[in-house]
Amino acid sequence: MPVRYRALEEADVGEAAELFITALCDMARRNGLPSPTAYNRAYVEPRYAQLRRTGIFRVAEADGKIVSICCALVRGEEWFLSMFWTLPEWQRQGVGGPLLRQVWQAGREQGARLDFTWSSIDFAAIGSYLRLGMLPGCQIFTFAGAPLRVPGPAAGYTLEPLERATAAELDASARGTARDLEHEFFSSSAGAAYQVRVGAELAGYFYAGDGVIGPAAWTSPKHARPVLDLAVRAASEQARDIKLMTLGLNHDALRAALELELKIVSAAHFLRSQPFGALERYLPSGPVFF
Protein backbone atom coordinates (compact mmCIF):
# COMPACT_ATOMS: atom_id res chain seq x y z
CA MET A 1 0.00 0.00 0.00
CA PRO A 2 1.52 3.38 -0.97
CA VAL A 3 2.41 5.76 1.84
CA ARG A 4 2.06 9.53 1.51
CA TYR A 5 4.02 11.96 3.69
CA ARG A 6 2.53 15.35 4.42
CA ALA A 7 2.08 18.06 7.04
CA LEU A 8 -0.43 17.53 9.83
CA GLU A 9 -3.58 19.57 9.18
CA GLU A 10 -5.71 21.16 11.87
CA ALA A 11 -8.50 18.67 11.16
CA ASP A 12 -6.06 15.78 11.82
CA VAL A 13 -5.20 16.69 15.42
CA GLY A 14 -7.74 14.33 16.97
CA GLU A 15 -6.63 11.40 14.80
CA ALA A 16 -2.98 12.08 15.63
CA ALA A 17 -3.83 12.14 19.34
CA GLU A 18 -5.62 8.78 19.05
CA LEU A 19 -2.61 7.29 17.23
CA PHE A 20 -0.31 8.43 20.03
CA ILE A 21 -2.53 6.98 22.76
CA THR A 22 -2.85 3.68 20.87
CA ALA A 23 0.90 3.38 20.29
CA LEU A 24 1.75 4.42 23.85
CA CYS A 25 -0.63 1.87 25.38
CA ASP A 26 0.75 -0.82 23.10
CA MET A 27 4.32 -0.02 24.15
CA ALA A 28 3.32 -0.16 27.82
CA ARG A 29 1.61 -3.52 27.32
CA ARG A 30 4.61 -5.00 25.49
CA ASN A 31 6.90 -3.95 28.33
CA GLY A 32 4.69 -5.10 31.18
CA LEU A 33 3.90 -1.56 32.33
CA PRO A 34 0.58 -0.16 33.57
CA SER A 35 -1.64 1.53 31.03
CA PRO A 36 -0.74 5.26 30.98
CA THR A 37 -4.15 6.61 31.95
CA ALA A 38 -2.88 10.19 32.39
CA TYR A 39 -2.82 10.58 28.61
CA ASN A 40 -6.27 11.04 27.08
CA ARG A 41 -7.56 13.11 24.18
CA ALA A 42 -8.53 16.03 26.45
CA TYR A 43 -4.89 16.26 27.55
CA VAL A 44 -3.17 15.45 24.25
CA GLU A 45 -5.17 17.40 21.69
CA PRO A 46 -4.40 20.95 22.94
CA ARG A 47 -0.70 20.06 23.04
CA TYR A 48 -0.76 18.60 19.55
CA ALA A 49 -2.58 21.69 18.29
CA GLN A 50 0.18 23.83 19.81
CA LEU A 51 2.88 21.62 18.29
CA ARG A 52 1.24 21.89 14.88
CA ARG A 53 1.09 25.70 15.11
CA THR A 54 4.62 26.22 16.38
CA GLY A 55 6.65 23.23 15.20
CA ILE A 56 7.35 20.86 12.35
CA PHE A 57 4.58 18.25 12.44
CA ARG A 58 4.40 15.67 9.66
CA VAL A 59 2.53 12.42 9.22
CA ALA A 60 2.62 9.25 7.14
CA GLU A 61 -0.73 8.37 5.61
CA ALA A 62 -1.87 5.10 4.00
CA ASP A 63 -5.30 4.64 2.39
CA GLY A 64 -6.50 7.88 3.95
CA LYS A 65 -5.44 6.88 7.48
CA ILE A 66 -2.59 8.38 9.51
CA VAL A 67 -0.21 5.56 10.45
CA SER A 68 2.79 7.48 11.84
CA ILE A 69 3.40 10.94 13.31
CA CYS A 70 6.55 12.95 13.92
CA CYS A 71 6.98 16.43 15.38
CA ALA A 72 9.94 18.60 16.36
CA LEU A 73 10.34 22.11 17.76
CA VAL A 74 13.14 24.37 16.54
CA ARG A 75 14.16 27.02 19.04
CA GLY A 76 17.33 28.89 18.20
CA GLU A 77 19.78 26.22 17.03
CA GLU A 78 18.05 23.45 19.02
CA TRP A 79 15.93 20.75 17.39
CA PHE A 80 13.81 18.93 19.98
CA LEU A 81 12.13 15.76 18.76
CA SER A 82 8.84 15.94 20.62
CA MET A 83 6.77 13.13 19.13
CA PHE A 84 7.55 10.08 16.97
CA TRP A 85 4.93 7.33 17.08
CA THR A 86 3.68 4.67 14.68
CA LEU A 87 0.63 2.45 14.87
CA PRO A 88 1.60 -1.02 16.15
CA GLU A 89 0.69 -2.83 12.91
CA TRP A 90 2.83 -0.40 10.89
CA GLN A 91 5.94 -0.57 13.04
CA ARG A 92 9.11 -2.02 11.48
CA GLN A 93 7.58 -1.60 8.02
CA GLY A 94 9.96 1.13 6.83
CA VAL A 95 7.36 3.86 7.33
CA GLY A 96 8.65 5.83 10.33
CA GLY A 97 12.30 6.20 9.29
CA PRO A 98 11.64 8.40 6.22
CA LEU A 99 9.19 10.50 8.25
CA LEU A 100 11.76 11.09 10.99
CA ARG A 101 14.41 12.09 8.46
CA GLN A 102 12.01 14.54 6.80
CA VAL A 103 11.35 16.29 10.11
CA TRP A 104 15.08 16.30 10.91
CA GLN A 105 15.92 17.81 7.51
CA ALA A 106 13.23 20.47 7.92
CA GLY A 107 14.90 21.41 11.21
CA ARG A 108 18.24 21.81 9.45
CA GLU A 109 16.59 24.09 6.91
CA GLN A 110 15.34 26.24 9.81
CA GLY A 111 18.84 26.59 11.26
CA ALA A 112 18.96 23.79 13.84
CA ARG A 113 22.41 22.44 14.65
CA LEU A 114 21.83 20.60 17.93
CA ASP A 115 19.41 17.72 18.38
CA PHE A 116 17.86 16.14 21.46
CA THR A 117 14.87 14.09 22.52
CA TRP A 118 13.02 12.60 25.47
CA SER A 119 13.02 8.98 24.32
CA SER A 120 10.68 6.24 25.38
CA ILE A 121 12.06 2.84 26.33
CA ASP A 122 11.22 1.36 22.90
CA PHE A 123 14.39 -0.22 21.52
CA ALA A 124 13.57 0.42 17.85
CA ALA A 125 12.95 4.11 18.53
CA ILE A 126 16.15 4.43 20.55
CA GLY A 127 18.08 2.85 17.68
CA SER A 128 16.63 5.38 15.25
CA TYR A 129 17.69 8.27 17.48
CA LEU A 130 21.20 6.88 17.96
CA ARG A 131 21.63 6.56 14.18
CA LEU A 132 20.52 10.17 13.85
CA GLY A 133 23.42 11.19 16.12
CA MET A 134 21.58 11.64 19.42
CA LEU A 135 23.62 9.76 22.02
CA PRO A 136 22.87 8.97 25.68
CA GLY A 137 22.97 11.95 28.03
CA CYS A 138 21.29 10.53 31.15
CA GLN A 139 18.07 9.02 32.43
CA ILE A 140 14.87 10.96 32.97
CA PHE A 141 12.98 10.04 36.13
CA THR A 142 9.37 10.82 36.96
CA PHE A 143 8.67 11.02 40.70
CA ALA A 144 5.18 11.08 42.17
CA GLY A 145 3.31 10.65 45.43
CA ALA A 146 2.39 12.43 48.62
CA PRO A 147 5.51 14.14 50.01
CA LEU A 148 6.72 13.04 53.43
CA ARG A 149 6.48 16.65 54.51
CA VAL A 150 5.54 19.96 52.97
CA PRO A 151 8.56 22.27 53.09
CA GLY A 152 8.20 25.48 55.02
CA PRO A 153 8.73 28.86 53.39
CA ALA A 154 12.34 29.37 52.34
CA ALA A 155 13.77 32.12 54.52
CA GLY A 156 14.31 35.33 52.58
CA TYR A 157 12.80 33.98 49.34
CA THR A 158 9.68 35.57 47.88
CA LEU A 159 7.31 34.71 45.06
CA GLU A 160 6.20 37.03 42.28
CA PRO A 161 4.05 36.41 39.20
CA LEU A 162 6.30 35.06 36.45
CA GLU A 163 7.27 37.62 33.85
CA ARG A 164 7.94 36.43 30.30
CA ALA A 165 11.30 38.20 30.18
CA THR A 166 12.40 36.39 33.34
CA ALA A 167 11.41 33.02 31.88
CA ALA A 168 13.36 33.80 28.69
CA GLU A 169 16.45 34.83 30.65
CA LEU A 170 16.45 31.71 32.81
CA ASP A 171 15.65 29.35 29.94
CA ALA A 172 18.51 30.77 27.89
CA SER A 173 20.88 30.18 30.81
CA ALA A 174 19.70 26.77 32.05
CA ARG A 175 17.96 25.19 29.09
CA GLY A 176 20.08 26.65 26.31
CA THR A 177 17.57 28.89 24.54
CA ALA A 178 14.56 31.09 25.21
CA ARG A 179 11.15 29.80 24.08
CA ASP A 180 8.42 32.35 24.37
CA LEU A 181 5.93 30.22 22.40
CA GLU A 182 6.00 27.48 25.01
CA HIS A 183 5.56 29.91 27.89
CA GLU A 184 2.58 31.38 26.10
CA PHE A 185 1.04 27.89 26.18
CA PHE A 186 2.16 27.13 29.75
CA SER A 187 0.69 30.36 31.06
CA SER A 188 -2.76 29.36 29.79
CA SER A 189 -2.64 25.69 30.77
CA ALA A 190 -0.10 24.93 33.50
CA GLY A 191 -1.61 26.56 36.59
CA ALA A 192 0.46 28.80 38.86
CA ALA A 193 3.62 30.42 37.51
CA TYR A 194 6.09 32.20 39.76
CA GLN A 195 9.50 33.79 39.69
CA VAL A 196 11.53 33.53 42.88
CA ARG A 197 13.70 36.25 44.40
CA VAL A 198 15.92 36.46 47.43
CA GLY A 199 16.18 40.14 48.18
CA ALA A 200 16.75 41.81 44.81
CA GLU A 201 18.45 38.73 43.35
CA LEU A 202 16.61 36.53 40.87
CA ALA A 203 16.75 32.91 42.07
CA GLY A 204 14.53 31.01 39.62
CA TYR A 205 11.06 30.29 38.35
CA PHE A 206 8.59 27.41 38.40
CA TYR A 207 5.18 26.30 37.22
CA ALA A 208 2.83 24.15 39.29
CA GLY A 209 -0.52 22.92 38.02
CA ASP A 210 -2.74 20.18 39.47
CA GLY A 211 0.18 19.08 41.61
CA VAL A 212 2.61 18.77 38.68
CA ILE A 213 5.84 20.80 38.89
CA GLY A 214 7.59 21.98 35.77
CA PRO A 215 9.12 23.56 33.94
CA ALA A 216 11.38 25.14 36.52
CA ALA A 217 14.86 26.64 36.53
CA TRP A 218 17.22 28.35 38.93
CA THR A 219 20.17 30.64 38.49
CA SER A 220 22.67 28.95 40.80
CA PRO A 221 23.03 25.66 42.72
CA LYS A 222 22.62 27.58 45.97
CA HIS A 223 19.06 28.42 44.94
CA ALA A 224 18.09 24.88 43.95
CA ARG A 225 16.52 23.73 47.21
CA PRO A 226 14.71 26.99 48.03
CA VAL A 227 13.15 27.06 44.54
CA LEU A 228 12.30 23.36 44.70
CA ASP A 229 10.85 23.69 48.22
CA LEU A 230 8.64 26.56 47.12
CA ALA A 231 7.51 24.57 44.08
CA VAL A 232 6.68 21.51 46.21
CA ARG A 233 4.79 23.73 48.63
CA ALA A 234 2.74 25.28 45.81
CA ALA A 235 2.04 21.88 44.21
CA SER A 236 0.99 20.40 47.57
CA GLU A 237 -1.62 23.11 47.95
CA GLN A 238 -3.16 21.92 44.68
CA ALA A 239 -3.16 18.15 45.16
CA ARG A 240 -2.30 15.49 47.73
CA ASP A 241 -0.03 13.65 45.29
CA ILE A 242 2.51 15.74 43.43
CA LYS A 243 4.72 14.95 40.45
CA LEU A 244 8.02 16.20 39.08
CA MET A 245 10.24 15.05 36.24
CA THR A 246 14.00 15.44 36.36
CA LEU A 247 17.05 14.58 34.35
CA GLY A 248 19.41 12.20 36.09
CA LEU A 249 22.16 14.81 36.02
CA ASN A 250 20.04 17.18 38.14
CA HIS A 251 21.22 15.84 41.49
CA ASP A 252 19.59 18.61 43.53
CA ALA A 253 16.15 17.63 42.21
CA LEU A 254 16.88 13.92 42.67
CA ARG A 255 17.90 14.45 46.30
CA ALA A 256 14.86 16.60 46.99
CA ALA A 257 12.47 14.01 45.54
CA LEU A 258 14.11 11.17 47.46
CA GLU A 259 14.13 13.09 50.76
CA LEU A 260 10.42 13.76 50.32
CA GLU A 261 9.97 9.99 49.72
CA LEU A 262 8.38 10.45 46.32
CA LYS A 263 8.39 7.26 44.26
CA ILE A 264 9.92 6.70 40.84
CA VAL A 265 6.94 5.89 38.62
CA SER A 266 8.62 5.89 35.20
CA ALA A 267 11.99 6.29 33.53
CA ALA A 268 13.00 7.41 30.06
CA HIS A 269 16.15 8.37 28.16
CA PHE A 270 17.58 11.82 27.45
CA LEU A 271 19.50 11.66 24.17
CA ARG A 272 21.42 14.56 22.62
CA SER A 273 23.86 15.22 19.81
CA GLN A 274 26.02 17.43 22.06
CA PRO A 275 25.87 18.98 25.55
CA PHE A 276 23.98 22.24 25.91
CA GLY A 277 22.71 24.60 28.58
CA ALA A 278 23.14 23.91 32.30
CA LEU A 279 20.49 21.23 32.67
CA GLU A 280 21.47 20.47 36.24
CA ARG A 281 19.55 23.70 36.95
CA TYR A 282 16.41 22.78 35.00
CA LEU A 283 13.26 20.69 35.47
CA PRO A 284 11.49 19.85 32.22
CA SER A 285 7.75 20.19 31.73
CA GLY A 286 7.46 16.72 30.20
CA PRO A 287 8.06 14.89 26.92
CA VAL A 288 5.92 17.17 24.75
CA PHE A 289 7.73 20.51 25.14
CA PHE A 290 10.68 19.56 27.40
Side-chain angles (χ1 to χ4, degrees):
M1 186 180 299
V3 175
R4 182 168 75 102
Y5 296 95
R6 62 173 177 83
L8 180 79
E9 302 293 341
E10 184 176 2
D12 301 325
V13 167
E15 185 179 359
E18 282 290 351
L19 184 154
F20 161 69
I21 294 167
T22 298
L24 179 65
C25 290
D26 176 73
M27 184 191 70
R29 178 191 58 78
R30 286 187 283 109
N31 289 277
L33 300 173
S35 180
T37 55
Y39 291 100
N40 52 42
R41 285 188 60 159
Y43 178 87
V44 176
E45 286 190 26
R47 286 157 178 80
Y48 273 27
Q50 176 73 4
L51 290 172
R52 190 194 72 83
R53 288 192 298 268
T54 66
I56 305 161
F57 206 143
R58 296 187 61 79
V59 304
E61 181 182 71
D63 196 25
K65 178 182 180 181
I66 296 174
V67 298
S68 186
I69 61 173
C70 188
C71 176
L73 298 174
V74 176
R75 302 293 181 258
E77 293 191 341
E78 296 178 4
W79 181 88
F80 171 59
L81 178 62
S82 171
M83 289 286 148
F84 180 45
W85 296 90
T86 302
L87 285 175
E89 63 270 27
W90 282 87
Q91 293 172 12
R92 297 172 177 82
Q93 302 297 316
V95 172
L99 180 62
L100 176 61
R101 288 190 291 274
Q102 287 179 22
V103 173
W104 181 85
Q105 182 59 40
R108 285 298 178 273
E109 292 168 2
Q110 292 186 19
R113 297 294 179 267
L114 181 158
D115 312 315
F116 69 106
T117 191
W118 177 310
S119 173
S120 72
I121 59 175
D122 184 79
F123 291 161
I126 293 170
S128 296
Y129 307 150
L130 294 175
R131 286 189 289 273
L132 205 58
M134 292 183 283
L135 302 179
C138 63
Q139 308 90 343
I140 306 173
F141 295 110
T142 299
F143 288 88
L148 176 66
R149 59 178 178 81
V150 176
Y157 287 80
T158 58
L159 295 178
E160 303 171 350
L162 178 61
E163 298 174 0
R164 202 68 58 81
T166 299
E169 175 187 345
L170 284 168
D171 278 353
S173 171
R175 190 194 169 281
T177 187
R179 47 176 187 159
D180 192 61
L181 290 169
E182 278 72 77
H183 283 283
E184 181 180 320
F185 180 81
F186 295 148
S187 65
S188 64
S189 64
Y194 296 106
Q195 58 194 40
V196 182
R197 292 190 182 276
V198 54
E201 180 184 358
L202 179 64
Y205 81 80
F206 68 86
Y207 286 83
D210 296 326
V212 181
I213 299 167
W218 43 92
T219 56
S220 165
K222 69 182 179 180
H223 298 313
R225 288 306 295 266
V227 172
L228 287 165
D229 284 351
L230 287 166
V232 168
R233 186 176 178 85
S236 296
E237 292 173 353
Q238 300 166 348
R240 175 183 178 274
D241 288 350
I242 69 170
K243 181 168 79 171
L244 65 85
M245 293 151 281
T246 180
L247 298 171
L249 54 78
N250 187 337
H251 293 179
D252 288 310
L254 286 173
R255 292 190 185 99
L258 292 170
E259 289 172 14
L260 293 171
E261 296 191 2
L262 302 180
K263 306 300 183 185
I264 297 175
V265 296
S266 69
H269 304 283
F270 174 60
L271 307 178
R272 59 186 176 183
S273 61
Q274 58 183 288
F276 65 96
L279 295 174
E280 69 278 4
R281 295 192 279 109
Y282 181 74
L283 287 186
S285 63
V288 179
F289 300 113
F290 193 76

